[in-house]
Amino acid sequence: MNSFQILVVEDDKPVRNLITTTLKANNYRYITSINGESAIMETASHNPDIILLDLGLPDVDGVEVIKRIRSWSNIPIIVISARNEDSDKIDALDAGADDYLTKPFSVDELLARLRVTQRRLALMQNSNIQESCYENGQLRIDYAKRCVYLAQEELRLTPIEYKLLCLLAKNTGKVLTHKYILTNVWGNSLDSNVGSLRVFMATLRKKLEKNSNSLQYIQTHIGIGYRMMRVE
Ligand code: CA
């Protein structure tokens, strides 16, 4: 039995039924809301483990729901949005969502997103934020020495590559938008810097993925941002 409880916020009945049927078949516990106000109330009263949140709700805008929940809670939020609305997803991620699903999505995609979030939760609960080392597959970051190793071999990273890697590592499992990364690494979020971010990310990735039997550490979300994946 999966002990995770999911709050499903979706006003579209067929989509809501698809989600709850999937959750039930996979032994998740769940509660449902059909609008934003009740989603905020259910979150406060049931304290679910994960929220699946449709962005297009009849009362409160989904992004507003995220902002309100984030004012008191860090519960992981996976947003569900309609296709071709990248700006919605970006606004949702910037407001504090962790991940997104695009409609129409498959049952497998839904379950995969839930697993990523569950791993992230487990990690957050087990690890001390002050930890001096980060480990993920063959990758190891020694924060005190500012050294990065891949399969015991030290990687030579530029200061910006190192900052990028630390930011992604700290947020393993979470999609970070270009704006978030630029603000945290460069100190501003000018659109004109997205190009340099892309270049630094490409070189960082080459260094990370050259000797690792094509293990993929960094996932690209085209037009949106990047995510560090937990590698088994
Ligand atoms: Ca909707």
Side-chain angles (χ1 to χ4, degrees):
M1 183 73 186
N2 201 318
S3 63
F4 279 82
Q5 188 183 50
I6 319 288
L7 169 61
V8 181
V9 188
E10 172 63 80
D11 58 315
D12 184 340
K13 199 171 175 194
V15 180
R16 193 169 66 240
N17 287 345
L18 169 73
I19 296 173
T20 54
T21 307
T22 305
L23 293 179
K24 197 188 272 176
N26 289 274
N27 297 318
Y28 285 97
R29 293 183 296 131
Y30 63 85
I31 42 179
T32 58
S33 287
I34 57 167
N35 59 47
E37 287 297 347
S38 71
I40 293 164
M41 275 173 17
E42 295 287 351
T43 303
S45 52
H46 289 95
N47 195 25
D49 297 293
I50 299 172
I51 302 174
L52 279 170
L53 174 71
D54 177 34
L55 286 179
L57 295 170
D59 56 346
V60 189
D61 180 62
V63 173
E64 184 57 33
V65 174
I66 298 168
K67 286 181 186 159
R68 286 176 45 192
I69 292 173
R70 280 288 174 266
S71 68
W72 88 89
S73 167
N74 281 323
I75 296 173
I77 300 174
I78 303 172
V79 298
I80 302 170
S81 80
R83 198 170 279 290
N84 298 327
E85 290 176 19
D86 273 358
S87 61
D88 274 9
K89 291 172 208 157
I90 292 169
D91 288 348
L93 292 164
D94 280 333
D98 296 73
D99 200 351
Y100 61 87
L101 268 168
T102 304
K103 283 179 188 172
F105 53 85
S106 70
V107 162
D108 288 343
E109 276 178 282
L110 169 63
L111 293 171
R113 294 305 204 292
L114 287 173
R115 281 195 300 272
V116 168
T117 304
Q118 281 179 276
R119 275 203 290 273
R120 178 170 150 72
L121 269 176
L123 220 73
M124 274 159 48
Q125 279 152 6
N126 294 336
S127 79
N128 181 343
I129 309 282
Q130 304 303 319
E131 246 180 319
S132 58
C133 267
Y134 169 84
E135 288 192 35
N136 184 6
Q138 299 188 314
L139 172 67
R140 191 160 68 87
I141 306 173
D142 184 326
Y143 293 118
K145 291 189 191 154
R146 297 179 71 89
C147 288
V148 178
Y149 305 88
L150 191 67
Q152 324 285 359
E153 199 182 310
E154 188 173 349
L155 290 184
R156 293 186 166 276
L157 300 185
T158 66
I160 287 196
E161 288 167 352
Y162 179 76
K163 273 175 97 172
L164 270 175
L165 180 65
C166 290
L167 184 68
L168 289 162
K170 214 173 75 185
N171 293 284
T172 299
K174 181 169 173 161
V175 179
L176 304 181
T177 62
H178 295 141
K179 182 175 159 195
Y180 182 87
I181 298 172
L182 289 172
T183 307
N184 281 278
V185 175
W186 275 268
N188 67 63
S189 63
L190 300 175
D191 280 346
S192 54
N193 285 336
V194 173
S196 17
L197 170 57
R198 203 167 286 140
V199 172
F200 278 105
M201 204 56 98
T203 58
L204 171 61
R205 198 172 212 168
K206 221 180 227 166
K207 293 177 184 179
L208 281 183
E209 292 168 8
K210 60 171 182 184
N211 290 326
S212 53
N213 302 322
S214 68
L215 276 181
Q216 206 198 8
Y217 287 96
I218 301 171
Q219 213 178 46
T220 302
H221 293 252
I222 294 165
I224 293 174
Y226 300 91
R227 155 161 60 190
M228 172 73 83
M229 293 300 286
R230 171 68 40 192
V231 170
E232 300 301 334

